[in-house]
């Protein structure tokens, strides 16, 4: 029997995925048909990106699962017209490596105070050597695939790293905390905070005025997680008071970030356009193909989204 797989993502994704996904599916040995154009009544699996515009899954009577190409699933997790299992992109080595490089690069930039010397129009001969990494506590909020990888890399450089998650975790070399009290403890005295939480009703405004006050004065925030994790007004107030020294933000409540948003003009905010890490077609294709193989052979799907938890 031929398994039918609809690729529901924009043309540029199809251009990037067509060859590697075909290769990865071929390697599974299953008989399949992959296309952007399959009659709805024949579709069994949907390889999915929210940018496809597809939101109503009720017209696919044979649909077995929706396989997201994206790691963040907040745009689809609450969709009540999607009743089959939903998986998300995890384990894509390119995505994880990209995030580790983004987070490590910006953490080192703040740690070493690079900005002061990169932009020095008055040719000032001043400054002092930065502390060692081991003297600068870093906190990573979210210890999933990406948070764990970043926490490990930062710890390897020498930073004392604290991680925070919903359920208690144990990661060698990382002080792991969880729960509401754990959050306050994780933030107390932190000099660099990295946000790698999903966007859910529970994680909205994880960092607000109360949390910023716990940080070491002048702390840096790095947010490649999701925009709603931070209370924007509270962040601007903390930046203006100096409690937060710098914020590097890759994700926003509204994207693209509106031209008149104060983050663009703020001298101590760096805006990057949601480029921290992206799914790489070759490694992501192997993740998708493995889940199709599992579906076809009746094995449990990997990376199932917990619709109740929202991620
Ligand atoms: N900017 C970019 O380019 C880009 C690219 C990819 C991903 N992302 C973002 O990165 C996020 C993290 O990705 P991931 O693959 O590491 O996700 P993940 O594997 O789902 O991990 C999420 C982590 O957040 C924790 N968490 C969830 N809800 C929580 C809560 N209410 N309180 C405390 N901790 C909570 C989870 O706790 P448990 O460990 O207890 O489950 C887990 O440790 C994604 O959701 C996405 O938004 C951004």
């Amino acid at each position: 029997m031929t398994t039918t797989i609809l690729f529901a993502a924009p043309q540029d994704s199809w251009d990037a995925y067509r060859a590697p996904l075909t290769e990865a599916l071929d390697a599974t040995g299953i008989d399949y048909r992959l296309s952007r154009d399959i009659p709805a009544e024949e579709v069994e699996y949907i390889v999915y990106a929210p940018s496809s515009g597809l939101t109503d899954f009720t017209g696919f009577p044979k649909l077995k699962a929706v396989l997201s190409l994206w790691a963040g699933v907040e745009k689809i997790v609450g969709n009540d017209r999607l009743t089959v299992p939903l998986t998300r992109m995890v384990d894509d080595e390119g995505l994880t490596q990209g995030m580790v490089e983004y987070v490590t690069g910006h953490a080192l930039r703040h740690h070493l105070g690079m900005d002061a010397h990169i932009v020095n129009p008055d040719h000032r001969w001043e400054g002092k050597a930065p502390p060692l990494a081991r003297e600068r506590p870093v906190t990573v909020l979210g210890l999933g695939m990406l948070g764990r990888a970043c926490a490990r890399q930062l710890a390897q450089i020498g930073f004392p790293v604290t991680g925070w998650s919903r359920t208690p975790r144990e990661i060698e070399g990382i002080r792991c905390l969880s729960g509401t009290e754990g959050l306050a403890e994780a933030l107390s005295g932190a000099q660099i905070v990295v946000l790698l939480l999903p966007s859910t009703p529970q994680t909205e405004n994880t960092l607000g005025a109360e949390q910023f006050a716990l940080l070491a004065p002048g702390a840096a925030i790095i947010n490649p997680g999701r925009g709603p994790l931070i209370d924007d007004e509270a962040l601007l107030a903390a930046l203006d008071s100096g409690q937060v020294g710098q914020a590097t933000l890759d994700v926003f409540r509204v994207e693209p970030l509106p031209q008149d948003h104060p983050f663009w003009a703020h001298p101590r905010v760096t805006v990057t356009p949601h480029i921290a890490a992206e799914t790489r077609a070759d490694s992501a294709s192997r993740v998708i193909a493995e889940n199709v193989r599992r579906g076809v052979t009746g094995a449990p799907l990997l990376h199932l989204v917990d619709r109740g938890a929202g991620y």
Side-chain angles (χ1 to χ4, degrees):
M1 277 263 286
T2 303
T3 300
T4 50
I5 307 162
L6 177 70
F7 191 87
Q11 182 64 43
D12 56 339
S13 295
W14 180 235
D15 295 340
Y17 275 92
R18 187 178 192 160
L21 190 52
T22 300
E23 189 181 327
L25 287 163
D26 284 349
T28 65
I30 60 173
D31 180 19
Y32 71 93
R33 177 175 165 222
L34 170 69
S35 173
R36 285 188 81 198
D37 185 20
I38 297 178
E41 59 276 13
E42 293 174 22
V43 172
E44 291 170 281
Y45 294 90
I46 297 180
V47 179
Y48 180 74
S51 46
S52 65
L54 175 60
T55 54
D56 187 352
F57 299 85
T58 55
F60 299 95
K62 288 190 185 165
L63 188 61
K64 296 194 166 62
V66 172
L67 314 173
S68 173
L69 288 169
W70 291 14
V73 288
E74 69 277 6
K75 289 197 163 84
I76 188 179
V77 73
N79 187 333
D80 57 12
R81 282 162 297 167
L82 168 57
T83 51
V84 297
L86 168 66
T87 67
R88 62 186 208 94
M89 185 48 62
V90 180
D91 266 347
D92 165 22
E93 58 188 329
L95 179 76
T96 304
Q97 182 60 24
M99 188 60 83
V100 168
E101 291 178 12
Y102 178 94
V103 166
T104 309
H106 283 282
L108 283 173
R109 167 189 163 207
H110 297 309
H111 169 59
L112 298 174
M114 288 181 182
D115 291 12
H117 305 290
I118 291 172
V119 182
N120 187 4
D122 304 327
H123 302 181
R124 281 175 289 108
W125 184 267
E126 61 185 40
K128 56 182 182 142
L132 293 173
R134 66 178 182 231
E135 296 164 290
R136 194 181 298 280
V138 174
T139 290
V140 179
L141 303 180
L143 292 173
M145 188 59 64
L146 301 179
R148 270 199 310 274
C150 292
R152 283 200 181 106
Q153 181 62 61
L154 292 166
Q156 209 160 29
I157 292 169
F159 293 107
V161 179
T162 298
W164 181 71
S165 56
R166 190 167 60 99
T167 47
R169 302 265 159 204
E170 274 185 36
I171 304 171
E172 201 186 334
I174 312 292
R175 181 174 71 130
C176 293
L177 301 169
S178 60
T180 314
E181 279 177 24
L183 178 62
E185 199 181 334
L187 295 175
S188 294
Q191 294 188 24
I192 298 178
V193 178
V194 179
L195 291 105
L196 279 167
L197 297 161
S199 178
T200 71
Q202 290 72 38
T203 60
E204 182 159 15
N205 294 334
T206 296
L207 292 190
E210 198 183 315
Q211 289 73 31
F212 289 128
L214 296 170
L215 306 177
I221 306 295
I222 303 173
N223 185 15
R226 282 294 182 259
L229 302 176
I230 294 180
D231 176 339
D232 288 357
E233 295 304 318
L235 175 58
L236 286 164
L239 282 159
D240 290 340
S241 75
Q243 174 61 14
V244 170
Q246 222 284 343
T248 295
L249 308 173
D250 188 53
V251 284
F252 305 91
R253 285 169 189 266
V254 178
E255 295 182 8
L257 183 65
Q259 283 301 321
D260 59 353
H261 196 287
F263 285 156
W264 280 117
H266 202 287
R268 282 180 289 115
V269 174
T270 299
V271 171
T272 58
H274 201 144
I275 43 79
E278 66 174 6
T279 305
R280 261 60 179 187
D282 51 352
S283 49
S285 291
R286 291 193 288 273
V287 176
I288 296 288
E290 170 60 11
N291 257 342
V292 174
R293 187 195 68 76
R294 285 172 165 261
V296 170
T297 59
L301 297 179
L302 299 174
H303 321 310
L304 273 175
V305 173
D306 177 341
R307 307 286 291 272
Y311 67 101

